[in-house]
Amino acid sequence: MVPLGGLGEIGKNMMVLETEQDLIVIDAGLAFPGDDMPGVDVVIPDYTYLIERRQKLRGIFLTHGHEDHIGGIPYLLKEIQAPIYATRLTLGLVERKLEEDKRALPPRSRAIRPGERVKAGAFTVEPFLVNHSIPDSVGFAIRTPVGLFIHTGDFKFDQTPIDGRVADYQRLAAYGAEGVHVLMMDSTNAERPGVTGSERQVGEALANVFRQARGRILIASFASHLHRLQQVFDLAAQFKRRLAVIGRSMENAVEVAMKLGYLRDTGGVLTPAEKIGELAPERVVVLMTGSQGEPLSALARAATGELRKLELIPGDTVVIAANPIPGNEKLVQRTVDNLFRRGCQVVYGPHAGVHVSGHGSREELRLMLNLTRPRFFIPVHGEYRHLLHNAELARSVGIPDNHILIGENGSVFEVTASTARVRGKVAAGAVMVDGLGVGDVGNVVLRDRRQLAQDGVLIVAMVLSREQRKVVSGPDLITRGFVYMRESEDLLSEARERAVKALNGIDEQDITEWSTIKAAVRDALGKFLYERTGRRPVILPIVLEV
Amino acid sequence: MVPLGGLGEIGKNMMVLETEQDLIVIDAGLAFPGDDMPGVDVVIPDYTYLIERRQKLRGIFLTHGHEDHIGGIPYLLKEIQAPIYATRLTLGLVERKLEEDKRALPPRSRAIRPGERVKAGAFTVEPFLVNHSIPDSVGFAIRTPVGLFIHTGDFKFDQTPIDGRVADYQRLAAYGAEGVHVLMMDSTNAERPGVTGSERQVGEALANVFRQARGRILIASFASHLHRLQQVFDLAAQFKRRLAVIGRSMENAVEVAMKLGYLRDTGGVLTPAEKIGELAPERVVVLMTGSQGEPLSALARAATGELRKLELIPGDTVVIAANPIPGNEKLVQRTVDNLFRRGCQVVYGPHAGVHVSGHGSREELRLMLNLTRPRFFIPVHGEYRHLLHNAELARSVGIPDNHILIGENGSVFEVTASTARVRGKVAAGAVMVDGLGVGDVGNVVLRDRRQLAQDGVLIVAMVLSREQRKVVSGPDLITRGFVYMRESEDLLSEARERAVKALNGIDEQDITEWSTIKAAVRDALGKFLYERTGRRPVILPIVLEV
């Protein structure tokens, strides 16, 4: 087994299971870039390992429809072909994603149901139901030549799920009785004590909002959280409000989910966003994007007064039904502040009860361990500290230390019928996607971007006459992101003099050497500007010849 | 009264109190830049309002020694002169800060004690003791021609403070009995229910770490948190460990605090960092910087193996005795992951008990309101939502709505003996400091930096002969932060052809118009590159003439 993503990070989950003849992939996600990757849109795993083994590939199995599990599919399918197996909703989301590129699902792809068995070379894969923050989530039981493997996917145990479909305890217990050789388990919430709340608790908190709000209610949530959306639909019907949807991904999600039957408007509350202006405020609820404070989302734009479809007014109640993903805290806080500035009531934060996680906490992870009783344990899906905490949980239920395997992306887990160990490493880097470019942005480009962002750029352009052996025009100085050019004329004209002096200091026989000219100008200006401004702009000398 | 900073934000606190003849300033802090201010070092208030009134300025009063309260002093003193009044530790920290610039405290500056009265024109200022995360913190009771004003500064009520100096309830109650006209109160923790924990609880959690750790103990904390440092010194003595200090700001803090008597090494545990290699691991504790995961801090470098003074080994216990400041969450998490990778035990996070806030929670804010019983209330020190939550608390203890004044930076609070209201606004912007430049980076420069960071820069340089009416050299293309130049030769040579074509399309009579040339090149390349890469680098056409 080789994880190509998702170990030592949150995001771009991808696990390879491989025998000599056959290979299957579990999940093909993407990750969102950190602050250290300016301009990058998304990050996907390096698929080289798979491409080199494409002949062995028997299938791609997807646990659920979140971007960190299916977002890499369009990129992956440009490199390899294999049937995709996923539950109906997940497959529908992948199909829609491919349609945007005018492409279709690979041949022999199909929807699978919990309990069904899919043969893929040496592997027989059986999905089992789990609870998570998107419907139709499954884990996989995988029969291999060396024994039964279980991959939980992302999961929690919700005892009172909205759709009534509790995780399949019976089947998990049966696997445990049969004998699980290797368990791979979600580590996301391995730091959190206790048990994650049921989605139904969110419904109760939202019902309180509906009871108290006198004006409009606006609810921002993850678009894919269809159970939460269903609860809002049901509450709208119960409290006699019409429901509008604003924000592209929310509109998409509602449309797909209704088409596939995962969202039901039994009360007939859905109404076009254009109509809400005609309704009394206490008859309106809006589902919208922006729970992460993303600057271009519907909620963030409404909060700054830039969303034409929806002008916020005092008396509106805004519910942010999500926790900020690490890194988004300040964006969410800024949105909350802006909402308060418009006179809205804002329901948000850990004490409001309007969000529960989709991932099991420590006691649920222990329960999964005790249900399946694995011989070997591999924590997956998490930053390194999450993997360690998950390992600690395994230890606490009696799995011996040398049966717990901690690896990171690219680690090779070698499993036989009697042993399991980490043995070596393969290339499993991150490939950055920027615009249409996949992998054409790398560390050098990012380093340049970071440096440009710090202190800007200064260009020093000049014309060199090879005949006259001297600079015949320039040096001209142009800056961006360094200082206000208009207010820094003195500084720049002095800098120009330094450049001229540096050029005059070059021997006549060296003057036709561009590299000499460039180095002289760069050194002289770098030193001068640092002394005068304390900054180090990127200095780009440009020599043209006539 | 005019707040020049700290209202609607966390940071750069500064409040102006003013009569017709006299003016005093409370605090002169700085703020740290957000992600939207690349390259900016610190942010200070716009001092214009003060500079225009410098004749009236009678004194600068500082509540405590944190950067968001004293960090602006070196910049402010370049513009205006006035005596500084602060408690001994605070004044010592300001003095040290000025010494770094080879400057001294302004004439007539002096240390003041709680209870002492300082006359400053029409104002009589009396500091009173509060608890906070740095010793010698005070609020101010200010007698003015229209009544008694109270400014709490940053505060909490610690019933069991480390130095035994509890906040001065008697004096606060006496002010309340006397009649407080206006209360300005810290809003930082107005979102948090209950009561903030005592610093002594942190000592108990740290004692547990000392009891359990078998190897070295490394503790990262804010350098200015001298009570916490004192507890570590005391625990070192109790558990017979030697204590070393690593990281410049921690070394400075320990030195200053010991000199001024705010930190006592009664057990004689302090030892040079160079000596810890000679001691048994179970005899060592290290105090270090890096509790926010700052990439250049001692802890972050130790976690990546780059700190020569301290190589981490399995068996080390690392305590992160701080909460991440919003925006620093991912840096702290990365550090924790790296520490685990080195095999360290890591004690961190909300459940570890190794940190308490320095700001009072909701019940403490209510207590302050009930002790002082103000007629008018102005929440200060906080983002807008914190100010609103604080106002809500005032309402909950019976202050009428029209006696609660919410303003932001630059709001003019007009207070008479019987009324108080917000009346108009003055300029109170943010001045960015980048290197040696104060205010020479503004929105245009920042916008350029953000754009450069997104997609980099493409420079198109050419030489124009005015005589021949044509381009005689170039266009040459140079990029940084856009694509790998070496791997994108085809793209760039095609781009060059587009530029040439654009130039050829210009009429001969227009060719000497630089603006025409630049626009043609920028349009042609912008369109071409977006089609081909989906990116929008900054395109800078440069024309030189011969």
Side-chain angles (χ1 to χ4, degrees):
Chain A
M1 297 193 302
V2 180
L4 293 179
L7 268 71
E9 65 179 337
I10 298 279
K12 66 178 169 71
N13 297 293
M14 187 171 216
M15 178 66 84
V16 173
L17 274 78
E18 188 181 357
T19 64
E20 287 214 350
Q21 276 75 42
D22 302 298
L23 185 154
I24 60 172
V25 172
I26 298 179
D27 287 332
L30 57 72
F32 294 100
D35 291 345
D36 52 339
M37 299 183 189
V40 172
D41 301 323
V42 301
V43 182
I44 54 174
D46 182 342
Y47 297 134
T48 309
Y49 186 84
L50 276 182
I51 293 166
E52 289 171 351
R53 286 158 185 77
R54 69 176 92 193
Q55 307 308 336
K56 296 167 67 173
L57 182 58
R58 306 289 170 244
I60 300 164
F61 294 82
L62 304 176
T63 57
H64 63 284
H66 281 155
E67 286 297 314
D68 55 336
H69 293 259
I70 67 168
I73 290 283
Y75 305 100
L76 181 62
L77 292 185
K78 282 182 189 154
E79 308 286 350
I80 56 108
Q81 280 292 314
I84 295 175
Y85 303 100
T87 52
R88 206 160 58 90
L89 176 64
T90 308
L91 202 68
L93 292 169
V94 170
E95 200 167 7
R96 194 178 174 98
K97 194 178 275 294
L98 290 170
E99 272 167 13
E100 283 172 15
D101 281 359
K102 305 204 190 320
R103 292 192 291 161
L105 288 171
R108 290 179 295 129
S109 299
R110 64 182 176 84
I112 53 176
R113 285 164 191 276
E116 184 179 344
R117 291 191 176 189
V118 180
K119 203 158 157 44
F123 303 99
T124 305
V125 182
E126 189 179 289
F128 57 87
L129 201 66
V130 296
N131 299 120
H132 189 43
S133 45
I134 184 169
D136 246 11
S137 293
V138 294
F140 292 116
I142 306 151
R143 279 166 224 284
T144 79
V146 297
L148 176 59
F149 287 43
I150 289 193
H151 190 300
T152 64
D154 288 357
F155 82 100
K156 67 191 278 191
F157 289 119
D158 191 334
Q159 307 299 342
T160 54
I162 300 308
D163 59 1
R165 299 171 78 199
V166 293
D168 196 338
Y169 299 100
Q170 287 69 25
R171 196 172 294 271
L172 287 167
Y175 296 141
E178 175 185 344
V180 172
H181 198 51
V182 174
L183 172 67
M184 291 164 267
M185 182 166 75
D186 179 11
S187 308
T188 310
N189 272 354
E191 278 173 312
R192 285 209 207 162
V195 170
T196 301
S198 168
E199 181 60 23
R200 211 166 282 272
Q201 295 169 11
V202 174
E204 287 158 19
L206 289 176
N208 273 331
V209 172
F210 275 79
R211 265 177 220 115
Q212 288 165 23
R214 313 231 159 151
R216 298 184 298 186
I217 300 174
L218 309 136
I219 301 176
S221 169
F222 288 114
S224 62
H225 205 318
L226 301 179
H227 288 154
R228 193 158 302 163
L229 271 47
Q230 184 66 62
Q231 298 203 87
V232 175
F233 270 78
D234 295 346
L235 286 165
Q238 185 186 337
F239 288 89
K240 301 195 173 32
R241 289 177 181 250
R242 307 286 294 190
L243 183 150
V245 177
I246 298 183
R248 203 168 64 97
S249 68
M250 189 64 83
E251 289 157 12
N252 280 344
V254 168
E255 190 196 318
V256 175
M258 289 185 78
K259 208 170 72 180
L260 296 178
Y262 288 89
L263 188 62
R264 288 191 175 80
D265 181 13
T266 46
V269 295
L270 197 60
T271 198
E274 297 70 36
K275 299 274 178 178
I276 55 179
E278 302 165 15
L279 297 166
E282 68 275 17
R283 297 272 73 91
V284 174
V285 57
V286 179
L287 263 174
M288 60 203 301
T289 52
S291 66
Q292 296 300 309
E294 311 92 314
L296 299 177
S297 66
L299 183 62
R301 286 189 297 137
T304 53
E306 292 161 33
L307 186 68
R308 237 183 313 156
K309 274 187 192 170
L310 184 72
E311 198 185 334
L312 295 176
I313 46 171
D316 286 346
T317 299
V318 180
V319 180
I320 301 183
N323 279 354
I325 292 169
N328 291 347
E329 292 86 351
K330 289 197 97 167
L331 290 174
V332 174
Q333 290 169 4
R334 194 173 307 158
T335 300
V336 171
D337 283 324
N338 288 335
L339 292 168
F340 275 126
R341 285 198 176 90
R342 306 216 147 246
C344 303
Q345 295 273 4
V346 193
V347 181
Y348 68 101
H351 305 296
V354 290
H355 179 71
V356 294
S357 172
H359 298 270
S361 299
R362 295 167 66 87
E363 294 313 313
E364 288 157 275
L365 300 177
R366 284 197 175 102
L367 175 57
M368 179 63 90
L369 284 157
N370 282 329
L371 280 166
T372 56
R373 298 192 303 192
R375 187 161 178 198
F376 296 103
F377 177 61
I378 301 176
V380 299
H381 298 187
E383 307 272 1
Y384 192 73
R385 65 188 180 283
H386 301 134
L387 306 182
L388 286 199
H389 282 291
N390 210 355
E392 185 58 44
L393 294 173
R395 229 169 270 127
S396 77
V397 301
I399 297 180
D401 220 24
N402 58 355
H403 284 213
I404 300 170
L405 280 70
I406 306 251
E408 294 202 65
N409 294 340
S411 295
V412 177
F413 295 90
E414 192 191 66
V415 184
T416 70
S418 56
T419 66
R421 57 176 177 160
V422 180
R423 192 189 184 186
K425 221 167 153 120
V426 303
V431 172
M432 285 169 268
V433 180
D434 181 4
L436 304 175
V438 178
D440 66 342
V441 167
N443 290 330
V444 176
V445 172
L446 289 182
R447 193 199 57 201
D448 284 347
R449 287 182 183 175
R450 286 191 297 262
Q451 205 186 338
L452 289 166
Q454 277 299 304
D455 287 328
V457 62
L458 175 76
I459 297 144
V460 191
M462 66 205 89
V463 181
L464 179 74
S465 163
R466 194 166 277 272
E467 222 166 78
Q468 301 175 49
R469 305 190 79 79
K470 66 171 188 179
V471 168
V472 292
S473 179
D476 285 6
L477 272 57
I478 296 100
T479 84
R480 281 291 184 287
F482 170 48
V483 290
Y484 274 126
M485 278 186 77
R486 214 168 288 174
E487 290 175 16
S488 306
E489 278 172 12
D490 290 353
L491 178 75
L492 292 177
S493 78
E494 207 177 324
R496 187 176 183 282
E497 279 164 34
R498 296 293 175 113
V500 170
K501 208 170 135 194
L503 289 170
N504 290 343
I506 300 172
D507 279 355
E508 209 181 78
Q509 67 261 39
D510 291 338
I511 194 80
T512 51
E513 291 296 327
W514 288 19
S515 57
T516 308
I517 293 182
K518 287 184 177 182
V521 167
R522 197 180 281 128
D523 290 354
L525 287 185
K527 195 157 164 272
F528 168 71
L529 292 175
Y530 186 73
E531 276 170 19
R532 288 289 295 274
T533 66
R535 302 178 206 168
R536 301 190 186 282
V538 175
I539 298 175
L540 289 180
I542 294 177
V543 182
L544 291 148
E545 281 198 13
V546 290
Chain B
M1 297 193 303
V2 181
L4 294 179
L7 269 71
E9 65 178 337
I10 297 280
K12 67 178 170 69
N13 297 292
M14 187 171 215
M15 179 65 85
V16 172
L17 276 79
E18 189 182 355
T19 64
E20 289 217 346
Q21 276 74 41
D22 301 299
L23 186 155
I24 60 172
V25 173
I26 298 179
D27 287 334
L30 58 72
F32 294 100
D35 290 345
D36 52 340
M37 300 183 190
V40 173
D41 300 323
V42 301
V43 182
I44 54 174
D46 182 343
Y47 297 135
T48 310
Y49 186 84
L50 276 182
I51 293 167
E52 288 171 352
R53 285 157 185 78
R54 68 176 92 193
Q55 306 307 337
K56 294 168 69 173
L57 181 58
R58 306 289 170 243
I60 300 164
F61 294 81
L62 304 176
T63 56
H64 64 282
H66 282 154
E67 286 297 314
D68 55 334
H69 293 259
I70 67 168
I73 290 282
Y75 305 99
L76 181 62
L77 293 184
K78 282 182 187 153
E79 308 286 350
I80 56 107
Q81 280 293 313
I84 295 175
Y85 303 100
T87 51
R88 206 159 58 90
L89 175 64
T90 308
L91 201 68
L93 291 169
V94 171
E95 199 167 7
R96 194 178 173 100
K97 195 178 276 294
L98 291 170
E99 272 166 14
E100 282 171 16
D101 282 359
K102 304 204 191 320
R103 294 191 292 161
L105 288 170
R108 290 179 297 130
S109 300
R110 65 182 174 84
I112 53 177
R113 286 163 191 276
E116 185 180 344
R117 291 189 176 191
V118 180
K119 205 158 156 44
F123 302 98
T124 304
V125 182
E126 189 178 289
F128 57 86
L129 201 66
V130 296
N131 299 120
H132 189 43
S133 45
I134 184 169
D136 246 12
S137 292
V138 295
F140 292 116
I142 306 152
R143 280 165 224 285
T144 79
V146 296
L148 176 59
F149 286 45
I150 289 194
H151 191 301
T152 65
D154 288 358
F155 82 100
K156 66 191 277 191
F157 289 119
D158 192 334
Q159 307 299 343
T160 53
I162 301 308
D163 60 2
R165 300 170 77 198
V166 293
D168 196 338
Y169 299 100
Q170 287 69 27
R171 196 172 297 268
L172 287 167
Y175 295 142
E178 176 185 342
V180 172
H181 197 51
V182 175
L183 172 67
M184 291 164 265
M185 181 164 76
D186 179 11
S187 308
T188 310
N189 272 355
E191 278 174 312
R192 284 208 207 163
V195 170
T196 300
S198 167
E199 181 60 24
R200 211 167 283 273
Q201 295 169 8
V202 174
E204 287 158 20
L206 290 176
N208 274 330
V209 172
F210 275 79
R211 266 178 220 116
Q212 287 165 22
R214 312 230 160 153
R216 298 183 299 185
I217 300 174
L218 309 135
I219 301 175
S221 168
F222 288 115
S224 63
H225 205 319
L226 301 180
H227 288 154
R228 193 157 301 163
L229 271 45
Q230 183 67 62
Q231 298 202 88
V232 176
F233 270 79
D234 294 347
L235 285 165
Q238 185 186 336
F239 287 89
K240 300 196 173 32
R241 289 177 182 251
R242 307 286 294 190
L243 183 151
V245 177
I246 298 183
R248 204 168 63 96
S249 69
M250 189 64 83
E251 288 158 11
N252 279 344
V254 168
E255 191 196 317
V256 175
M258 289 184 79
K259 209 170 73 183
L260 295 178
Y262 288 89
L263 187 62
R264 288 190 175 80
D265 181 13
T266 47
V269 294
L270 197 60
T271 198
E274 297 70 37
K275 299 274 179 175
I276 53 178
E278 302 165 14
L279 297 165
E282 69 275 16
R283 296 274 72 91
V284 174
V285 56
V286 179
L287 264 174
M288 61 202 302
T289 52
S291 66
Q292 295 300 310
E294 312 91 315
L296 299 178
S297 67
L299 183 62
R301 286 189 296 137
T304 52
E306 292 160 33
L307 186 69
R308 236 184 312 155
K309 273 186 192 171
L310 184 73
E311 199 186 333
L312 294 176
I313 47 172
D316 287 345
T317 299
V318 180
V319 181
I320 301 183
N323 279 354
I325 292 169
N328 291 348
E329 292 86 351
K330 289 197 96 168
L331 290 175
V332 174
Q333 290 170 2
R334 195 173 306 161
T335 301
V336 171
D337 282 325
N338 288 335
L339 291 168
F340 275 127
R341 284 197 176 92
R342 306 214 148 247
C344 302
Q345 294 271 5
V346 193
V347 181
Y348 68 101
H351 306 295
V354 290
H355 179 71
V356 294
S357 171
H359 300 269
S361 300
R362 294 167 67 88
E363 294 313 312
E364 288 157 273
L365 300 177
R366 284 197 176 101
L367 174 58
M368 180 62 90
L369 284 158
N370 282 328
L371 279 167
T372 56
R373 298 193 303 193
R375 187 160 177 199
F376 296 104
F377 177 60
I378 302 176
V380 299
H381 297 185
E383 306 273 2
Y384 192 73
R385 65 188 181 282
H386 301 134
L387 305 182
L388 285 198
H389 282 291
N390 210 356
E392 186 57 45
L393 294 173
R395 230 169 269 127
S396 78
V397 302
I399 298 179
D401 221 25
N402 58 355
H403 283 212
I404 300 170
L405 281 69
I406 305 247
E408 294 203 66
N409 294 340
S411 295
V412 178
F413 295 90
E414 192 192 62
V415 185
T416 69
S418 56
T419 65
R421 57 176 178 158
V422 180
R423 193 187 183 188
K425 219 166 156 130
V426 303
V431 171
M432 285 169 268
V433 179
D434 180 4
L436 304 174
V438 178
D440 66 341
V441 167
N443 289 330
V444 176
V445 173
L446 289 183
R447 193 198 57 199
D448 285 346
R449 286 183 185 175
R450 286 192 296 261
Q451 206 186 336
L452 289 167
Q454 277 301 302
D455 287 329
V457 62
L458 174 76
I459 298 145
V460 191
M462 66 206 88
V463 182
L464 178 74
S465 165
R466 194 165 278 272
E467 223 165 77
Q468 301 175 47
R469 303 191 81 78
K470 66 171 189 179
V471 170
V472 292
S473 179
D476 285 7
L477 272 58
I478 296 102
T479 84
R480 282 289 185 286
F482 170 50
V483 289
Y484 274 126
M485 278 185 75
R486 216 169 286 174
E487 291 175 16
S488 307
E489 278 173 12
D490 291 352
L491 178 75
L492 292 177
S493 77
E494 206 177 325
R496 188 176 181 280
E497 278 163 34
R498 297 293 176 112
V500 169
K501 208 171 136 196
L503 290 170
N504 290 342
I506 300 172
D507 280 354
E508 209 181 81
Q509 67 261 40
D510 291 336
I511 193 80
T512 52
E513 290 296 327
W514 287 19
S515 57
T516 309
I517 295 182
K518 287 184 179 183
V521 167
R522 198 180 280 128
D523 290 354
L525 287 186
K527 196 157 162 272
F528 168 70
L529 293 176
Y530 186 72
E531 277 170 18
R532 288 290 295 275
T533 66
R535 302 177 205 169
R536 301 190 187 281
V538 175
I539 297 175
L540 289 179
I542 294 176
V543 182
L544 290 148
E545 280 196 15
V546 288

